[in-house]
Amino acid sequence: MKIEAKQLVRTFGDYLALDKVSLQIEEGELVALLGPSGSGKTTLLRVIAGLDFPDSGSVLFDDREATRLQIQKRGVGFVFQNYALFRHMTIYKNIAFGLEVVRRKDRLKPALIRERVFELLRLVQLTGFENRLPAQLSGGQRQRIALARALAIEPRILLLDEPFGALDAMVRKELRGWVKQLQRQLKITTLFVTHDQDEAIEIADRIVVMNAGHIEQIGTPIEVCAEPATPFVWEFLRGHALA
Amino acid sequence: MLTTVAVLFLGIFVLVPLFAVFGEALKNGLGVFFASFNDLAAFAAIKLTLLVAAISVPANLLFGVSAAWAIAKFEFPGKSLLVTLIDLPFAVSPVVAGLIYVLIFGAQGWLGPFLQAHNIKIIFAAPGIVLATIFVTFPFIARELIPLMQAQGSEEEQVALSLGANGWQTFWRVTVPNVKWGLVYGVILCNARAMGEFGAVSVVSGHIRGLTNTIPLQVEILYNEYNFVAAFAMASLLAALALLTLLIKSLVEWRASARSALQEPQVYA
């Protein structure tokens, strides 16, 4: 699905988190929102998800107005930095959640839900973990379960908040490649927030560099590295380049 | 050394009186003990106590859960005032709590003339006792849940919403299961206090035998009449309730800790 943000403004008291932010994300793209903390990248992600609402401006999904649409109606898969797995539910129940809360008349038959959950477990390479509790999994495994749970509802877009932030360096590198591969395979429009330049350069199709509530530059990793549009981008990406 | 002090202290101030209650109650044998309950006034007191608990515990369950939910998961103006108000019954003497209700609903109170004109009895009747008990016990469940819910944050709820769940489903499938043991614990404590409350209830009850006496009030009356065996027999009901409460509480804590031991991060990969 195509996502468009037009002139988004969001303030928290005196603090301007989003200052007339506009951008367009094409169907099937993997886009990184890159910036230091406090740059507004997570706020932008939450506004697109419907977890937060802008003071002014609009969000369009496939050219249709979605600014005030409730999160339930948006069809977004959202993954939190700390995964927010339902701690009292087994892995199976976690993944099945989005399928089981559907209104009875639209709900899949239990056998089909079961099939879908196991299919997702295969997809994230965690077959056999269905009866574990979230606490019995490693960070990387929890991350993959959070993705599987988000994918269960067949979202039109995938939004990831610092998806690799809580992982140690080794696992992080491994998961990055895996997420990119998965995104290619599913061709789902994906937006992820990161403060890690290398991470954005390595896996994103395009990078949105943010600073102090506004967008400094939007471009492919090569563009932002080779032709930084502002002194901030040059400074922020200095020393980082395509490997 | 410290352990010895603690055990001695506990023994003198808690265990000895507890045994004394059962000892006094059973002094003249089981027959006399049970005969104490075979009395209309005693029976009425037990019935009233159960009724009061049966109304005030669910009322505070509803209030406690909604207050905790609002305080822990949302930001709104007046939030710190609400938190302070929840603690009020802990800070104020129960007698004062009772007097407040007399001041409002009593014959000389603000609403007195109106209530008399419509023949509604609140003070010196069961409704007053229920109101006073709700007031005294309303922090128990909310206080138990607020820190728990605050520690858990609201990300799991946000995820549930993003997966298509409505508010009701999110509350019952995500929020409640996550605070289940805290909720059980809060209800137990609330119930124990609702049944055992003396001060506030004493002020609004009027001590009408067989009508407005709860178990604690009945104990006092019997004791003042030098009817020691009957007084201690009634008191033993409350003591038994306390023991049962502690038993359930330990069970809950044991279950909860078994659960959280399982939730310790374990890395398999």
Side-chain angles (χ1 to χ4, degrees):
Chain A
M1 191 172 63
K2 201 169 84 181
I3 309 167
E4 197 178 346
K6 278 186 188 164
Q7 298 288 307
L8 289 175
V9 174
R10 177 72 170 106
T11 53
F12 297 102
D14 292 336
Y15 181 71
L16 190 58
L18 293 178
D19 182 8
K20 302 201 197 86
V21 169
S22 299
L23 88 157
Q24 194 165 338
I25 292 157
E26 302 301 330
E27 169 86 46
E29 262 193 315
L30 176 58
V31 173
L33 297 177
L34 175 67
S37 56
S39 59
K41 52 195 195 302
T42 296
T43 307
L44 179 58
L45 193 77
R46 290 176 64 87
V47 166
I48 291 171
L51 286 169
D52 198 355
F53 297 94
D55 301 340
S56 65
S58 51
V59 177
L60 295 124
F61 287 170
D62 279 341
D63 299 320
R64 270 196 297 274
E65 174 62 38
T67 318
R68 296 280 142 191
L69 203 61
Q70 281 185 311
I71 185 167
Q72 290 100 326
K73 308 247 161 63
R74 291 193 188 207
V76 298
F78 195 97
V79 177
F80 281 93
Q81 181 172 5
N82 294 309
Y83 327 126
L85 294 178
F86 303 129
R87 68 195 86 191
H88 64 281
M89 291 184 205
T90 60
I91 296 309
Y92 179 93
K93 278 286 177 189
N94 263 278
I95 299 177
F97 187 89
L99 304 170
E100 288 178 341
V101 294
V102 173
R103 274 179 310 171
R104 192 178 299 271
K105 71 177 174 69
D106 301 328
R107 199 183 303 156
L108 290 175
K109 297 240 166 10
L112 287 175
I113 291 183
R114 206 175 156 72
E115 206 172 288
R116 179 105 182 94
V117 171
F118 282 102
E119 187 188 310
L120 284 158
L121 278 169
R122 267 198 303 281
L123 183 72
V124 299
Q125 297 156 13
L126 285 172
T127 309
F129 283 71
E130 61 273 11
N131 294 322
R132 302 267 182 94
L133 284 170
Q136 297 170 297
L137 266 54
S138 71
Q141 291 169 335
R142 285 183 217 178
Q143 167 71 282
R144 284 186 274 157
I145 293 301
L147 260 170
R149 179 177 64 176
L151 291 171
I153 58 165
E154 296 179 16
R156 299 184 295 173
I157 48 174
L158 197 54
L159 305 173
L160 315 170
D161 186 10
E162 296 274 5
F164 314 108
L167 300 169
D168 58 61
M170 278 275 287
V171 185
R172 187 152 59 202
K173 252 195 130 57
E174 191 188 305
L175 261 183
R176 263 188 218 168
W178 178 80
V179 165
K180 175 157 179 114
Q181 199 190 344
L182 187 70
Q183 194 267 342
R184 281 279 167 278
Q185 186 187 338
L186 301 172
K187 298 184 180 67
I188 181 172
T189 312
T190 304
L191 197 54
F192 74 100
V193 159
T194 181
H195 61 266
D196 183 326
Q197 295 91 337
D198 296 321
E199 196 168 288
I201 292 168
E202 191 185 313
I203 70 170
D205 297 325
R206 284 198 300 153
I207 299 176
V208 178
V209 185
M210 294 189 70
N211 177 38
H214 63 266
I215 293 174
E216 297 270 346
Q217 185 175 4
I218 304 179
T220 63
I222 296 174
E223 283 165 5
V224 294
C225 288
E227 303 156 34
T230 66
F232 173 84
V233 177
W234 181 77
E235 180 73 26
F236 193 64
L237 287 170
R238 195 164 52 155
H240 301 275
L242 269 174
Chain B
M1 177 61 199
L2 275 176
T3 326
T4 322
V5 173
V7 169
L8 265 178
F9 188 88
L10 215 68
I12 293 168
F13 287 94
V14 179
L15 283 180
V16 170
L18 195 61
F19 284 123
V21 168
F22 289 105
E24 282 293 322
L26 293 166
K27 197 169 59 181
N28 298 339
L30 273 174
V32 181
F33 174 78
F34 284 115
S36 308
F37 299 115
N38 197 10
D39 167 66
L40 278 180
F43 191 67
I46 294 169
K47 221 170 75 177
L48 181 62
T49 300
L50 292 176
L51 175 77
V52 168
I55 297 171
S56 50
V57 173
N60 278 331
L61 182 62
L62 196 69
F63 166 80
V65 171
S66 14
W69 162 269
I71 287 166
K73 313 271 177 181
F74 301 97
E75 289 303 323
F76 54 91
K79 180 165 150 176
S80 57
L81 183 71
L82 182 62
V83 175
T84 313
L85 279 179
I86 287 175
D87 281 338
L88 186 68
F90 279 156
V92 72
S93 158
V95 175
V96 176
L99 282 172
I100 294 168
Y101 286 101
V102 173
L103 195 67
I104 299 173
F105 299 111
Q108 271 73 48
W110 299 336
L111 297 177
F114 172 83
L115 293 172
Q116 271 177 332
H118 293 80
N119 204 18
I120 302 169
K121 280 204 166 129
I122 292 186
I123 299 302
F124 303 148
I129 297 173
V130 170
L131 283 175
T133 305
I134 288 177
F135 179 88
V136 171
T137 56
F138 83 55
F140 286 90
I141 292 167
R143 269 280 149 223
E144 198 60 44
L145 293 183
I146 290 167
L148 203 58
M149 284 185 170
Q150 271 172 339
Q152 290 175 348
S154 52
E155 286 190 352
E156 287 181 43
E157 278 85 358
Q158 291 176 6
V159 167
L161 294 174
S162 82
L163 293 170
N166 57 37
W168 189 250
Q169 287 171 322
T170 303
F171 181 73
W172 286 108
R173 293 181 186 220
V174 177
T175 308
V176 171
N178 274 346
V179 298
K180 189 171 52 182
W181 295 116
L183 200 60
V184 173
Y185 188 28
V187 166
I188 296 167
L189 283 181
C190 182
N191 181 62
R193 184 63 191 269
M195 289 189 173
E197 173 56 25
F198 179 83
V201 168
S202 175
V203 176
V204 296
S205 135
H207 306 270
I208 306 164
R209 201 175 294 220
L211 268 182
T212 65
N213 272 344
T214 59
I215 297 176
L217 301 182
Q218 184 73 7
V219 171
E220 195 210 15
I221 289 181
L222 292 169
Y223 187 81
N224 286 344
E225 289 168 350
Y226 305 102
N227 194 347
F228 294 133
V229 170
F232 279 106
M234 288 296 272
S236 71
L237 286 182
L238 290 175
L241 172 72
L243 291 177
L244 186 69
T245 302
L246 288 179
L247 184 73
I248 300 174
K249 172 178 170 286
S250 325
L251 277 177
V252 167
E253 275 170 358
W254 175 73
R255 270 305 308 262
S257 75
R259 188 85 184 171
S260 70
L262 196 62
Q263 291 185 352
E264 287 293 309
Q266 297 168 350
V267 179
Y268 286 87

